[in-house]
Amino acid sequence: MWENLDRPPLDGRALTRALVEGPRGSWSRVDVVARTGSTNADLLAVADTAGDRTALIADVQDAGRGRHSRSFTAPARSQVIVSALVKLPGVPPGSVGWLPLLTGVAVVDVLRTVTEVDAVLKWPNDVLIRGDESSGYAGGKVAGILVEVASTHPVVTAVSGVGINVSLTEAELPVPTATSLQLAGAAVIDRGTVVRAFLRAVGSALDEWRESGWDTAPIAELYRSRCDTLGRRVRVTMPGDTELVGVATDIDEHGRVVIVPESGDTTPVAVSAGDVTHLRALDA
């Protein structure tokens, strides 16, 4: 019996029919579990033997991780928690860093088109919903992305994990700056619909990337047009509490954010995701 009739469990069989067996199926395997520690960790553990495009979805995870091992939890069946194992034969090792950006574009596009919310990207790995002054809705972070590389030889293999807040109430939000699709007044808050659309979008994006010969320029173009960080005055905190304050002007060919410092040497600085502990917009 469901613990909460407003939060039903996902139908794994229906997702398999749609994503693996159906005419639009582009995934080799889709599994749904009621509970796990971390969907990313589970797929990393079987990366050597699992097939390309294996997806694992959990109704709840007890040891979810974000960047820099930040933990997060949420009530059962209140989020879309999905990890996708992908194999990228022939991709240059230096281009693997584009996978989280590609994933972010897919999340934003699904949230805009399927759930009809004003979703944008915050570099490097967050998805935000813009606030609406007329309704008093403050907006906030609705999704996070964590990509981990399992191996680089003989084929680059990575796991891309996504957590999307779907039906969390204000009292259930992990931090005041977070939000959920329900709080944003989304047109769709059915988790099955959202995860199905997301995996289809990621599958299509991976196909296009492979067919382009792993060209990152089209991904960069898509990312820039959806990135709310660009044009903003930001503070970047790096390991050792070193800070850089300036205006984010671009995403370069390596997926790094380019910042023009506001004081001292104003030569543009390109910062990679691995160099950043935190990035905060100062003019939001």
Side-chain angles (χ1 to χ4, degrees), residues 65-71 125 146 237 239 273-278:
R65 297 171 293 118
R67 290 180 68 241
H68 304 293
S69 298
R70 298 181 182 117
S71 62
N125 70 326
L146 176 65
T237 305
D275 294 333
V276 174
T277 303
H278 190 70

Side-chain angles (χ1 to χ4, degrees), residues 9-281:
L10 288 167
D11 185 341
R13 187 72 192 100
L15 289 172
T16 294
R17 286 196 299 268
L19 296 164
V20 179
E21 301 170 353
R24 297 176 62 189
S26 63
W27 289 81
S28 62
R29 180 168 180 167
V30 176
D31 292 321
V32 175
V33 295
R35 181 181 295 271
T36 191
S38 163
T39 52
N40 261 34
D42 291 348
L43 287 185
L44 287 169
V46 298
D48 290 342
T49 56
D52 178 30
R53 299 198 188 184
T54 294
L56 178 63
I57 308 160
D59 279 332
V60 64
Q61 61 179 6
D62 300 316
R65 297 171 293 118
R67 290 180 68 241
H68 304 293
S69 298
R70 298 181 182 117
S71 62
F72 63 90
T73 59
R77 302 192 284 275
S78 65
Q79 298 177 307
V80 162
I81 301 167
V82 55
S83 293
L85 184 146
V86 296
K87 301 191 176 185
L88 310 171
V91 69
S95 296
V96 179
W98 281 95
L99 185 56
L101 281 71
L102 176 151
T103 303
V105 169
V107 174
V108 164
D109 288 355
V110 166
L111 295 189
R112 287 180 177 183
T113 59
V114 176
T115 73
E116 300 179 20
V117 297
D118 189 10
V120 292
L121 290 161
K122 175 190 172 187
W123 185 91
N125 70 326
D126 290 343
V127 178
L128 313 180
I129 298 178
R130 287 193 177 111
D132 182 357
E133 291 185 6
S134 64
S135 67
Y137 171 64
K141 177 179 173 178
V142 72
I145 298 159
L146 176 65
V147 171
E148 298 176 278
V149 175
S151 64
T152 57
H153 184 79
V155 175
V156 172
T157 302
V159 174
S160 183
V162 175
I164 304 172
N165 295 336
V166 177
S167 64
L168 278 79
T169 66
E170 191 168 353
E172 293 170 333
L173 295 175
V175 292
T177 53
T179 190
S180 69
L181 294 179
Q182 180 168 281
L183 290 172
V188 173
I189 58 170
D190 175 71
R191 292 186 306 135
T193 300
V194 173
V195 74
R196 185 168 60 247
F198 166 70
L199 287 174
R200 281 177 173 159
V202 168
S204 177
L206 288 169
D207 287 342
E208 292 177 7
W209 192 19
R210 183 187 64 245
E211 290 164 5
S212 74
W214 308 114
D215 183 5
T216 60
I219 303 174
E221 183 77 16
L222 292 172
Y223 191 91
R224 291 186 189 107
S225 68
R226 292 154 177 77
C227 184
D228 191 60
T229 304
L230 298 183
R232 292 192 179 276
R233 182 170 175 259
V234 299
R235 174 182 287 116
V236 178
T237 305
M238 292 169 279
D241 291 330
T242 302
E243 287 191 343
L244 172 65
V245 176
V247 176
T249 60
D250 196 12
I251 303 298
D252 73 6
E253 68 273 16
H254 302 293
R256 301 175 299 185
V257 65
V258 178
I259 298 172
V260 177
E262 67 178 21
S263 62
D265 184 355
T266 57
T267 303
V269 178
V271 182
S272 70
D275 294 333
V276 174
T277 303
H278 190 70
L279 181 148
R280 182 183 302 277

